[in-house]
Amino acid sequence: MKIKDAVFVVSNSEVSKCPTDEKYEFAFIGRSNVGKSSLINMLTGKKNLAKTSGTPGKTQLINHFLIDEKWYLVDLPGYGYAKASKTARFKWEKFISEYLTKRKNLMNTFVLLDARLEPQQIDLEFMNWCGEKGLPFSMVFTKIDKLSSTALQKNLAKYRKEMLKYWDELPPVFTSSSESGFGKEPILNYIGAILE
Ligand code: GTP
Ligand code: MG
């Protein structure tokens, strides 16, 4: 699948204010700075569609982008951003969890994981929480341009092993680089198959 058109629609911190047209949507979540906004830009081929930053905590709201007038990509704030005040963190988590659990047209959540890191507690906890809530998700290992393929395979194997402690099988797994564009086709085709 290819994306022809992508436009920003709305940002907010309330599920009730998200678009109500019931188009299918796909969300991107993960730790601050993992590359959620960059991945959305890479997938849509629009460099400045979602705001990115080298400093964690850039995306603070639920951002809807309408794709080809038919479906949405949704950029979410990161979790585990230590510098945010406790109140701000709590608020993010509450509206994010509300969004994730209440949004009926949310078809899949892509959980982004930094490919350079070994399995992280906060990410495992988040994925287990998705499991408890019955939310469909996939794993996307980001920034693969920053490590060797041997190191990548090692981290993937560690994740696989860790996940299989809790799960009978792994969700779909993707690898990506917003720098090189790697991973674009498989991720878009996965979305395309759900949209069909
Ligand atoms: P928050 O909105 O703060 O939660 O962050 P985010 O997950 O949206 O991350 P963002 O896309 O803003 O990217 C964070 C930083 O990582 C930026 O400096 C990006 O340029 C960089 N980055 C993101 N993806 C990649 C990638 O695939 N490769 C490399 N080399 N850098 C990346
Ligand atoms: Mg962001």
Side-chain angles (χ1 to χ4, degrees):
M1 187 179 67
K2 283 207 169 72
I3 289 177
K4 289 192 200 87
D5 184 44
V7 285
F8 168 73
V9 178
V10 65
S11 280
N12 65 75
S13 62
E14 279 171 57
V15 190
S16 59
K17 291 182 184 158
C18 289
T20 53
D21 52 13
E22 297 182 359
K23 292 183 168 75
Y24 284 179
E25 64 194 40
F26 300 82
F28 294 78
I29 200 162
R31 284 201 297 166
S32 275
N33 218 42
V34 70
K36 302 173 291 292
S37 303
S38 303
L39 182 60
I40 288 181
N41 293 343
M42 187 270 266
L43 293 173
T44 56
K46 284 197 163 185
K47 264 200 160 163
N48 302 310
L49 184 67
K51 290 191 185 109
T52 66
S53 166
T55 319
K58 182 68 180 172
T59 310
Q60 303 227 0
L61 296 166
I62 304 169
N63 298 283
H64 276 75
F65 299 97
L66 180 63
I67 311 299
D68 293 335
E69 294 179 12
K70 287 199 190 92
W71 52 281
Y72 294 105
L73 283 177
V74 181
D75 193 13
L76 296 172
Y79 49 72
Y81 170 39
K83 276 188 188 156
S85 76
K86 279 212 171 116
T87 349
R89 263 178 85 181
F90 177 75
K91 206 173 153 208
W92 290 357
E93 281 160 19
K94 188 155 180 252
F95 78 71
I96 297 169
S97 62
E98 272 186 14
Y99 166 79
L100 293 169
T101 51
K102 291 188 179 161
R103 194 77 178 151
K104 292 201 172 66
N105 46 325
L106 175 61
M107 304 313 286
N108 179 66
T109 298
F110 291 97
V111 180
L112 274 59
L113 307 151
D114 190 323
R116 296 169 296 180
L117 304 179
E118 296 193 353
Q120 302 287 303
Q121 200 56 36
I122 193 168
D123 296 317
L124 295 166
E125 273 171 22
F126 178 74
M127 290 187 281
N128 284 340
W129 179 85
C130 288
E132 278 164 30
K133 302 282 179 194
L135 304 173
F137 68 94
S138 335
M139 298 162 81
V140 182
F141 290 89
T142 62
K143 308 192 184 184
I144 63 156
D145 56 283
K146 290 201 170 196
L147 76 173
S148 71
S149 61
T150 323
L152 173 64
Q153 290 312 320
K154 246 189 200 167
N155 280 346
L156 290 179
K158 281 185 187 157
Y159 248 107
R160 220 169 279 134
K161 196 172 160 199
E162 199 58 41
M163 289 293 281
L164 291 174
K165 285 185 188 167
Y166 313 99
W167 301 79
D168 293 336
E169 54 184 313
L170 284 180
V173 174
F174 301 96
T175 49
S176 75
S177 165
S178 300
E179 289 285 308
S180 73
F182 188 93
K184 184 172 181 170
E185 265 202 34
I187 294 173
L188 288 182
N189 288 344
Y190 180 72
I191 292 175
I194 295 175
L195 288 172
E196 262 170 21

